[in-house]
Amino acid sequence: MNKRIYLDNAATTKVHEEVFTAMLPYFTQSYANPSAIYTFAGEAKKAVEAARAQVAKIINAGMEEIYFTGCGSESDNWAIKAAAEAYREKGRHIITTKIEHHAVLHTCQYMERQGWEVTYLDVDENGTVSLDALQAAIRPDTVLISVMTANNEIGTIEPISEIGKIAREHGVLFHTDAVQAYGHLALDVEAMNIDLLSASGHKLNGPKGIGMLYIRKGVKIHPLLHGGAQERNRRAGTLNVPGIVGVGKAAEIAGAHMEEKIARETALRDHLITRVLAEIPHCRLNGHRTNRLSNNANFCFRFIEGESLLILLDQLGVCASSGSACTSGALEPSHVLLAIGLPHEIAHGSLRLTLSEETTMEELDFVVDELKKIVARLRDMSPLYEDSMKNQ
Ligand SMILES: *Cc1c(COP(=O)(O)O)cnc(C)c1O
């Protein structure tokens, strides 16, 4: 019997039992539209505002600075398209990085087609953005800096506080895609000088289909969705009450257990990394060795296709990923692995394992034991590997 081992928590997470329970009454009992004026709607409205406060609290924001959206991708689109647009009299230049999620990268490419100029900053071999390069890229017409808090593929955490400080000193808006970091890392929008922050429910044991955008009080932003007057006239659409209640609960739980969760995951992650690097030859760790998300490990195995690894792991009930969910299935290697300087043939052999609080040492040991066999088997069939061994 194959028990499932889920190691793809960067793609999505299991809804926490308490989150699920908290959501249930808002489907069949308090199902009113919170915008209605009768008493019955008050229950839903109250629940939404309580969730807004929970979401705000763990990043030290005011609840009136939190806006609910349909997903993290929408939050990224909204922050970039609509904030930039609101400040276009200042200029039409945006700074971002080469390792952003496609929700940011493809939005920036869209902005270029609309006549904006975008600077895509390089990162070093660990995936860290250079503050000097950022300073040098800022121009009088720069309107927005968008740098992710932590990378979804290689886990590297970016110097967000320093970036926020630079942005503030230059009077440039600072947006961060914190979808992987929100609820996983201690964030403080005040201390870090963040003006706009994107997050998503399903990456922190909340439901799918609910996103959040923090918008600092006083920051101008146009609506992305036009229609009703929801979310203080800034985001039309009937509120997803169960989703909002769920993400509020998920944020509360994440905030209450963050330190112990980070400590536990870090120990498991480091055990996994140490074993893989010690026991599997021609293998490298991608991303920063220590300054990375506590649940992320990402490796490249030379002479191997990431997809083959995934298929063989799947046969054992192991859910893993090669790069991001969006890139798997495509033949292009991950833009993140290319940006950290890996050649195509190595970037193709990547494997991302992302843990949760349910992950156990036994599961990880099983995966490493099997991975050793799988890698050896695939290399035995690889002509590249054979050639390389002959040439040694
Ligand atoms: C998952 C993810 C997104 C997209 O969030 P959705 O809610 O799935 O739209 C954006 N950015 C990063 C870094 C992510 O990991």
Side-chain angles (χ1 to χ4, degrees), residues 246-301:
V247 79
K249 191 70 187 171
E252 183 193 84
I253 296 171
H257 302 287
M258 195 174 292
E259 273 177 39
E260 62 195 74
K261 182 169 178 257
I262 290 175
R264 183 178 177 278
E265 279 179 353
T266 303
L268 287 173
R269 177 200 74 190
D270 289 346
H271 173 76
L272 170 68
I273 291 174
T274 307
R275 271 203 69 190
V276 169
L277 294 182
E279 298 177 35
I280 305 182
H282 310 295
C283 154
R284 78 185 297 279
L285 176 72
N286 300 314
H288 199 284
R289 178 67 189 81
T290 50
N291 192 23
R292 68 190 300 135
L293 290 170
S294 56
N295 75 341
N296 173 294
N298 187 313
F299 304 99
C300 276
F301 301 95

